[in-house]
Amino acid sequence: GLYYCPWRWSFWFLFVRSMATSTYRRTTLDIKARKRVIVTGGLGNLGTKVVAGLHESPDLEVVVLDRAQGDLRKREGGWEELLRGADTVVHLAAQSPFPKCTWKDSLASFDITANVFLAAVKAKVRRVVFASSNHVMGGLKEEGTNSLEARPIGHLTDPCPGTKQFIPEPSDSTRYAVAKTYGERLAAALASDRGGETSFYCLRIGWCQPGANSPRTLSFSNPVLLGPLNYARAKGGGGDANDQVGRRVGNETLWNAEKLSEWFQLMWLSNRDFLQICEKAIRSPPAPGGFGVVNAVSGNTNMRWSLESARDWLGYAPQDDVTLHDRPGHENAGRRRIQGDTRKQPISKL
């Protein structure tokens, strides 16, 4: 037996020690081989989702760069040292993540973006992924809210910053959108200047709600979705002004709740599609010239947001489509109506 054979004890001791040493070396090598990904704004809505998702990748080391590590508004605040040796920077941080920010917020956000980009280039980071926004193209909403009404919006479409609406109260995201637009322009300039040493992908992110991000809560204003409201009803003005607005914009996208809902809902980006496009932007080869802009939305039927560049450059294959799910104003959208089939469409795991 094992107890009465000392040489067997020696054999098992050497075997176990060999395995332990091998595992230690392999683990050490794996740790050294892991690519370090810096996520700015890692404690926000999008940041927490990215960090949680990337942590599941064994070959990536995720480091959060937020206010606790330094003031990104200052070019030399000590935080830039974290970028040394990093493979990728996912830049999500902003002075204000809300479309109704002030010009002061907008300028501070651009300062943050410029500082992060310049620090990444100086540290010779391979890839920068920038969280741009659908609001960069928000002014095109007035052309039409779906692909049946207007042209697709792609990476070659000229920017038209700012999404405007009159209900439930006047809102204009131009200040927020301008900071994102400038970020895209700076990324293009740096990619060209550096000859592709640091490459950039700008993700024009659609509507990705905090938490579960269910289509059932895609309501830009619950009271408004009770029915179409015009500017006069929202602001107490006269009907003549509304008629003029309606004629001027054609699709009434400034004050018609149904049109506004369609515009925002068709840019939904599910959690798993968001994580997919972020990871592919980290891992994929660079776009031509080291700079690429892609729309980051789910595969929503009849949306205007083209996914051509996302598919070609990143291999992005969205798994979700908002039109297959119940959502405000479309409570029965999750039911098939093909040849009398009314079985419920499966809700994606978000």
Side-chain angles (χ1 to χ4, degrees):
L2 187 60
Y3 180 81
Y4 296 100
C5 297
W7 68 268
R8 292 190 179 180
W9 281 108
S10 300
F11 169 79
W12 283 109
F13 172 77
L14 292 174
F15 175 76
V16 171
R17 187 176 70 172
S18 174
M19 291 297 295
T21 302
S22 175
T23 301
Y24 170 77
R25 288 175 178 170
R26 185 170 60 251
T27 303
T28 303
L29 290 173
D30 288 346
I31 291 175
K32 291 182 178 179
R34 292 168 69 190
K35 297 179 179 179
R36 183 144 50 93
V37 178
I38 307 295
V39 181
T40 72
L43 301 181
N45 167 36
L46 299 179
T48 53
K49 294 179 180 182
V50 168
V51 170
L54 295 182
H55 267 308
E56 299 297 321
S57 300
D59 63 328
L60 299 179
E61 175 193 1
V62 183
V63 177
V64 173
L65 174 54
D66 220 284
R67 293 179 181 179
Q69 287 73 39
D71 188 349
L72 299 182
R73 294 172 299 182
K74 298 179 180 179
R75 182 163 305 176
E76 296 181 354
W79 57 266
E80 66 275 10
E81 295 298 322
L82 291 174
L83 274 60
R84 294 184 182 274
D87 175 79
T88 302
V89 172
V90 179
H91 178 47
L92 306 174
Q95 178 67 20
S96 172
F98 305 108
K100 294 174 67 175
C101 69
T102 65
W103 276 116
K104 184 177 181 179
D105 292 333
S106 177
L107 293 172
S109 291
F110 181 63
D111 287 342
I112 291 171
T113 296
N115 290 339
V116 170
F117 284 7
L118 292 173
V121 168
K122 184 178 180 180
K124 297 183 179 181
V125 172
R126 179 189 63 88
R127 173 67 46 78
V128 174
V129 180
F130 173 49
S132 187
S133 172
N134 65 85
H135 290 276
V136 169
M137 313 302 287
L140 299 180
K141 170 173 64 67
E142 276 64 71
E143 294 180 350
T145 56
N146 61 63
S147 61
L148 303 179
E149 298 177 344
R151 58 180 173 146
I153 299 172
H155 67 285
L156 296 178
T157 308
D158 290 335
C160 190
T163 307
K164 300 178 179 66
Q165 61 191 71
F166 290 159
I167 56 174
E169 60 184 14
S171 176
D172 184 352
S173 71
T174 298
R175 294 175 290 272
Y176 173 83
V178 164
K180 295 296 187 181
T181 307
Y182 282 156
E184 292 184 4
R185 298 290 183 158
L186 178 59
L190 290 173
S192 175
D193 181 63
R194 303 300 295 180
E197 186 176 23
T198 297
S199 58
F200 293 78
Y201 273 115
C202 299
L203 310 182
R204 289 176 177 163
I205 296 174
W207 193 358
C208 189
Q209 307 167 100
N213 189 24
S214 168
R216 293 186 178 90
T217 56
L218 287 173
S219 170
F220 78 96
S221 175
N222 285 325
V224 174
L225 288 176
L226 295 176
L229 295 180
N230 57 33
Y231 184 50
R233 292 179 62 185
K235 299 301 295 178
D240 292 342
N242 296 323
D243 293 340
Q244 293 174 10
V245 169
R247 286 195 296 270
R248 185 168 68 251
V249 302
N251 292 298
E252 304 173 351
T253 60
L254 296 177
W255 53 267
N256 186 300
E258 292 178 343
K259 288 295 182 182
L260 281 168
S261 293
E262 182 175 55
W263 173 257
F264 289 115
Q265 289 179 356
L266 289 182
M267 67 172 70
W268 179 56
L269 174 62
S270 71
N271 286 348
R272 63 179 177 179
D273 285 342
F274 172 57
L275 293 176
Q276 179 196 160
I277 199 168
C278 283
E279 185 163 1
K280 287 183 177 295
I282 292 172
R283 299 182 184 277
S284 298
F291 169 78
V293 173
V294 301
N295 291 324
V297 296
S298 290
N300 306 314
T301 302
N302 292 334
M303 66 179 177
R304 291 185 59 193
W305 307 94
S306 171
L307 296 179
E308 180 181 2
S309 62
R311 291 191 177 104
D312 291 347
W313 296 337
L314 304 180
Y316 175 54
Q319 301 179 66
D320 290 306
D321 180 344
V322 73
T323 65
L324 299 181
H325 304 300
D326 294 348
R327 61 196 189 281
H330 300 272
E331 281 69 22
N332 294 317
R335 297 183 179 277
R336 295 179 183 268
R337 290 188 175 84
I338 302 176
Q339 297 181 350
D341 186 355
T342 59
R343 291 173 296 177
K344 192 75 172 179
Q345 282 278 20
I347 298 296
S348 302
K349 183 179 180 181
L350 302 175

